[in-house]
Amino acid sequence: VFATLGVRILILTNAAGGIRQTFAPGTVMLIRDHINLTGRSPLTGAVLPGEQRFPDMSVAYDVKLRRLAHEVAETIGSPLEDGVYACLPGPSYETPAEIHFLEQVGVDAVGMSTVMEVIAARSRRMKVLGLSTITNLAAGKLVGKLSHAEVMEVAAHAGDRVARLIEGIITATV
C-alpha cells in the first residue's frame, strides 16, 4: 500500500528479545540483516502490479539509511547498536533451546514481526530501515520467567528515544 502511494522509504520498529550478551532491556538495535524462520513469504501467490518477484535481499536494510541512523544517534546522544534480527512465527516467546540455536547462528535479537514487511517492501524496491528495541532478555538469558507486562513497560520507556531517532532520520532525509 505504501509503495502504491509513492512512499520510497520504510522505517520499521519492533520489540525484540535480546540474545547478544551485551544487550540489556532498553537497548536500541539497528537491524543490519535478518533471518526469516517463519516458513512463510509475503510474496506467494500472484505477482501484484509493481511487485518484483524474487527481490534481491543481499542488502535488505539500506546502507545509507543505516549510516544516517548512526549519525543521528550520535548527534542526539542515544546509543545505537547494530545486529542481526531473527523472526519466528509466534505468538509465544522462544524456548531456551531455540535461543541457544539462534545465538550459534549469529542472531543478536529475536521477535515475531518486521521480516514480512521488509520482504514486501523490497519487492516494491523501497529502501528499508529497521530498529529493534530490546525489551527483554531472551529465554535462557535471564533469571526467571518472561513477562509480557515487563516487555510493554520497557517499550514504553524506550519509545521517546526511538521517536527522537526516527524524527532526526526523517528530518535529514527530507
Side-chain angles (χ1 to χ4, degrees):
V1 171
F2 286 143
T4 301
L5 294 172
V7 173
R8 301 308 322 149
I9 297 173
L10 181 63
I11 300 174
L12 297 165
T13 64
N14 65 46
I19 296 174
R20 188 189 305 166
Q21 295 294 333
T22 59
F23 283 177
T27 299
V28 179
M29 183 188 87
L30 183 63
I31 303 173
R32 179 180 66 247
D33 203 351
H34 71 241
I35 299 174
N36 179 4
L37 294 172
T38 67
R40 301 183 328 228
S41 171
L43 304 181
T44 56
V47 178
L48 302 174
E51 183 180 80
Q52 176 187 20
R53 194 51 47 108
F54 304 106
D56 178 17
M57 298 296 290
S58 58
V59 186
Y61 301 87
D62 189 79
V63 174
K64 289 180 183 177
L65 289 173
R66 290 187 355 242
R67 191 175 309 124
L68 175 61
H70 276 290
E71 291 170 8
V72 170
E74 187 173 318
T75 300
I76 66 173
S78 183
L80 187 61
E81 299 285 340
D82 279 82
V84 174
Y85 174 82
C87 181
L88 277 73
S92 63
Y93 293 116
E94 299 74 29
T95 68
E98 289 168 331
I99 296 304
H100 179 71
F101 165 77
L102 293 172
E103 186 173 36
Q104 297 304 305
V105 297
V107 172
D108 299 295
V110 62
M112 302 170 223
S113 66
T114 306
V115 170
M116 295 299 127
E117 293 88 345
V118 172
I119 295 168
R122 293 299 301 136
S123 78
R124 298 296 298 262
R125 297 167 190 85
M126 295 175 76
K127 294 178 181 180
V128 177
L129 184 72
L131 299 164
S132 293
T133 298
I134 307 303
T135 54
N136 58 281
L137 298 179
K141 299 290 178 184
L142 74 157
V143 177
K145 293 183 177 184
L146 291 168
S147 162
H148 188 65
E150 289 175 15
V151 166
M152 298 302 289
E153 183 179 327
V154 171
H157 283 97
D160 287 340
R161 285 194 345 263
V162 173
R164 283 196 322 272
L165 180 60
I166 292 171
E167 182 179 345
I169 293 165
I170 291 171
T171 300
T173 58
V174 177

